[in-house]
């Protein structure tokens, strides 16, 4: 296994409180040594690859707690190989795959397949999320314990809300046994039925059925109440509304065990992105209003929202090149996530250290996985970022099979240039420095 010394980069590791120029030595796939100060680690072994990271930033590999790799069953949209390759380009070294595959990941056989396939073909570590209910049908709890043993780190019926409150209560109760979070896809399916975008003036003008913000808010409040009742660990996925942020903030003040994530598209753009029937702006929950965007940003600022995830949801071109009503929900998110998120730092919403925390050690802590830090002895998961690099989003150049993004043509600044997973270089756009 290649040994790598990254020299003189600006290291930011929030968990260890490191925010200074220094060096990191990766040996045997692990963080062998980390030291602050220019040229603080020197090696004489010519077999060690030396990276000159001067004027670059060095972070723990990003952890994405919410993604869709589509395999098994939807390999025409994405595979574990192509999805993790795109993740590596985005600086991710750990991703969590949601269970809405075919068959659904609701048993240990499917979980084991995903884990094995990722080990054979993946460009980063894959941690499966198991379904809460069998077939994601909301009727009967899946075998959570057996999936946990097989490798699942959380449970969710993502894409489908658990409508039955008793089922959700039982899931939260059982999850305490496994020390795993139950991840809520917060959507009142009756309120959102038939909706394809945010409900409001624009949906009326476009003649499209809307999804009211209350569809998310009501379900968040229900699940918070159930978490309070059971003492289970609730994690709310892809928060998009001002009301949802307020509900989570109040729950945290009350000491309820709730965490939350949002995604770059919910703090970067509004429902206006779907104007003109742009199917690449069709996501679930839908893009909301400027007021919601500002509330999500405030939620990130005051730590109501703990983590930033991508909700990477690639689709085949035919799934988007159709009438808006019929188009699939979701965007391809790995390859723009960091560059969109760093805008929070430019806009003064977060410091750089707090942003990196929300993309590394916070999601790792929620899922109880040993990732998200450059701790000596830990996995050699690193991303090197050129903060001054500017580029135009060209979806056809995505490594993901999914080219669906509302950010095509955007000019972004700040780009991962080198990703290392367990000591293996998984993405290298380092222009010969390595």
């Amino acid at each position: 296994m290649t040994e790598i010394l990254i020299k003189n980069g600006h290291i930011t590791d929030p968990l260890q409180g490191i925010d200074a120029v220094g060096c990191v030595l990766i040996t045997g796939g692990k963080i062998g040594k980390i030291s602050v100060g220019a040229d603080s680690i020197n090696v004489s072994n010519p077999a060690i690859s030396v990276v000159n990271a001067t004027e670059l930033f060095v972070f723990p590999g990003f952890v994405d707690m919410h993604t869709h790799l589509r395999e098994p069953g939807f390999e025409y949209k994405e595979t574990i190989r192509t999805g993790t390759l795109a993740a590596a380009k985005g600086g991710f070294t750990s991703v969590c795959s949601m269970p809405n595959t075919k068959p659904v990941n609701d048993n240990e056989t499917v979980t084991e397949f995903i884990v094995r396939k990722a080990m054979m073909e993946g460009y980063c570590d894959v941690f499966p999320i198991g379904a809460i209910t069998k077939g994601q049908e909301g009727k009967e709890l899946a075998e959570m314990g057996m999936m946990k043993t097989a490798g699942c780190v959380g449970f969710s019926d993502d894409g489908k809300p658990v409508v039955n409150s008793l089922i959700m209560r039982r899931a939260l109760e059982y999850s305490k046994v496994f020390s795993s979070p139950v991840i809520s896809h917060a959507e009142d399916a009756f309120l959102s039925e038939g909706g394809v975008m945010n409900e409001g003036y624009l949906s009326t003008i476009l003649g499209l059925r809307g999804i009211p913000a209350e569809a998310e808010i009501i379900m968040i409040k229900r699940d918070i109440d159930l978490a309070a009742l059971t003492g289970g660990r609730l994690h709310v996925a892809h928060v998009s509304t001002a009301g949802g942020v307020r509900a989570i903030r109040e729950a945290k003040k009350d000491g309820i065990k709730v965490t939350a994530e949002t995604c770059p598209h919910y703090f970067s753009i509004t429902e206006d992105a779907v104007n003109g029937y742009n199917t690449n702006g069709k996501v679930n929950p839908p893009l909301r209003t400027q007021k919601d965007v500002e509330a999500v940003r405030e939620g990130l600022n005051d730590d109501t929202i703990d983590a930033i995830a991508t909700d990477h949801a690639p689709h085949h071109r035919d799934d988007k090149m159709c009438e808006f009503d019929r188009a699939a929900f979701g965007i391809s998110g790995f390859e723009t996530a960091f560059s969109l998120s760093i805008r929070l730092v430019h806009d003064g919403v977060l410091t750089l250290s707090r942003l990196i925390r929300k993309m590394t050690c916070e999601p790792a802590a929620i899922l109880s996985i040993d990732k998200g830090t450059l701790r000596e002895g830990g996995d050699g998961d690193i991303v090197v970022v050129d903060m001054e690099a500017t580029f135009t989003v060209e979806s056809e150049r995505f490594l993901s099979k999914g080219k669906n993004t509302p950010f095509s043509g955007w000019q972004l600044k700040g780009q991962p240039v080198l990703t290392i997973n367990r000591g293996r270089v998984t993405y290298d756009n380092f222009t010969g420095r390595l």
Side-chain angles (χ1 to χ4, degrees):
M1 183 172 290
T2 304
E3 296 189 34
I4 303 172
L5 174 61
I6 300 174
K7 294 186 65 172
N8 303 333
H10 187 124
I11 302 170
T12 301
D13 182 1
L15 198 62
Q16 297 191 91
I18 299 174
D19 192 8
V21 170
C23 302
V24 184
L25 176 65
I26 304 172
T27 179
K30 302 288 186 180
I31 303 295
K33 187 175 182 181
I34 181 169
S35 182
V36 173
D39 295 316
S40 54
I41 301 176
N42 287 292
V43 293
S44 56
N45 185 347
I48 295 178
S49 298
V50 178
V51 175
N52 177 11
T54 301
E55 298 183 352
L56 302 177
F57 282 74
V58 179
F59 306 130
F62 300 144
V63 178
D64 187 359
M65 62 184 306
H66 188 154
T67 186
H68 303 268
L69 297 178
R70 304 301 193 198
E71 188 175 6
F74 300 102
E75 288 82 357
Y76 68 100
K77 294 175 184 277
E78 191 78 287
T79 65
I80 288 173
R81 188 188 74 80
T82 60
T84 55
L85 185 59
K89 182 182 176 184
F92 295 93
T93 54
S94 301
V95 302
C96 298
S97 57
M98 285 293 168
N100 53 344
T101 49
K102 187 179 180 180
V104 171
N105 183 16
D106 62 2
N107 62 77
E108 74 276 20
T109 301
V110 179
T111 303
E112 289 170 351
F113 167 82
I114 293 169
V115 171
R116 283 199 308 272
K117 198 72 182 294
M119 291 178 66
M120 292 169 57
E121 300 181 2
Y123 286 80
C124 58
D125 290 320
V126 176
F127 296 92
I129 303 295
I132 295 173
T133 64
K134 293 182 178 178
Q136 290 180 290
E137 294 179 347
K139 299 176 181 176
E140 184 180 359
L141 284 178
E143 297 289 350
M144 298 169 69
M146 298 178 76
M147 285 190 287
K148 173 75 175 183
T149 301
C152 286
V153 296
F155 299 95
S156 178
D157 274 2
D158 187 61
K160 293 184 177 179
V162 179
V163 175
N164 187 314
S165 298
L166 179 60
I167 294 287
M168 193 64 173
R169 172 183 178 168
R170 297 293 183 235
L172 285 161
E173 289 172 339
Y174 286 127
S175 72
K176 293 194 298 184
V177 178
F178 314 124
S179 298
S180 298
V182 172
I183 303 171
S184 170
H185 174 94
E187 177 184 353
D188 185 313
F190 295 102
L191 271 178
S192 66
E193 186 176 7
V196 294
M197 66 170 291
N198 184 50
E199 181 178 286
Y201 177 76
L202 184 59
S203 66
T204 302
I205 293 297
L206 295 176
L208 297 171
R209 182 171 293 184
I211 300 174
E214 286 73 13
E216 175 176 287
I217 300 165
I218 288 170
M219 196 61 97
I220 288 176
K221 289 181 176 179
R222 183 206 69 169
D223 288 344
I224 285 171
D225 285 345
L226 290 174
L229 173 67
T230 62
R233 288 177 52 205
L234 174 69
H235 178 77
V236 183
H238 42 50
V239 176
S240 70
T241 60
V245 174
R246 282 196 300 272
I248 295 163
R249 183 179 292 127
E250 291 303 312
K252 287 191 169 188
K253 287 179 181 175
D254 291 340
I256 298 170
K257 296 176 183 175
V258 57
T259 54
E261 72 189 35
T262 191
C263 310
H265 40 286
Y266 296 122
F267 57 72
S268 299
I269 52 178
T270 69
E271 61 181 352
D272 289 341
V274 308
N275 209 347
Y277 304 96
N278 178 13
T279 58
N280 284 324
K282 184 177 178 181
V283 290
N284 188 24
L287 299 171
R288 304 290 187 177
T289 66
Q290 187 60 40
K291 177 184 174 184
D292 295 299
V293 169
E294 291 169 2
V296 168
R297 286 179 162 227
E298 179 59 32
L300 286 162
N301 176 269
D302 68 9
D303 289 333
T304 297
I305 298 176
D306 305 88
I308 294 173
T310 68
D311 196 7
H312 174 76
H315 288 290
H316 188 272
R317 186 184 303 271
D318 292 347
D319 295 327
K320 288 290 192 179
M321 294 283 286
C322 57
E323 296 89 341
F324 196 92
D325 283 341
R326 296 176 51 227
F329 290 98
I331 68 173
S332 188
F334 282 143
E335 292 164 75
T336 55
F338 176 77
S339 304
L340 290 167
S341 298
I342 195 65
R343 289 156 53 94
L344 295 170
V345 177
H346 298 155
D347 293 344
V349 177
L350 296 172
T351 64
L352 178 62
S353 179
R354 292 184 66 217
L355 171 65
I356 299 306
R357 173 178 287 275
K358 290 177 188 294
M359 297 185 72
T360 56
C361 56
E362 287 289 354
I366 292 168
L367 298 167
S368 302
I369 59 176
D370 189 17
K371 295 286 188 177
T373 179
L374 300 175
R375 174 182 53 81
E376 291 181 0
D379 289 337
D381 294 353
I382 290 177
V383 55
V384 179
V385 173
D386 184 347
M387 292 291 196
E388 299 302 317
T390 59
F391 67 102
T392 302
V393 178
E394 298 176 84
S395 60
E396 292 305 315
R397 296 170 67 95
F398 281 2
L399 298 181
S400 168
K401 285 188 177 183
K403 313 301 181 187
N404 43 302
T405 173
F407 302 107
S408 189
W410 278 43
Q411 299 283 323
L412 297 177
K413 184 178 181 180
Q415 193 172 31
V417 293
L418 180 70
T419 306
I420 301 170
N421 174 223
R422 296 180 183 262
R424 177 173 69 119
V425 174
T426 52
Y427 176 72
D428 181 6
N429 190 27
F430 213 48
T431 60
R433 294 198 195 199
L434 181 62

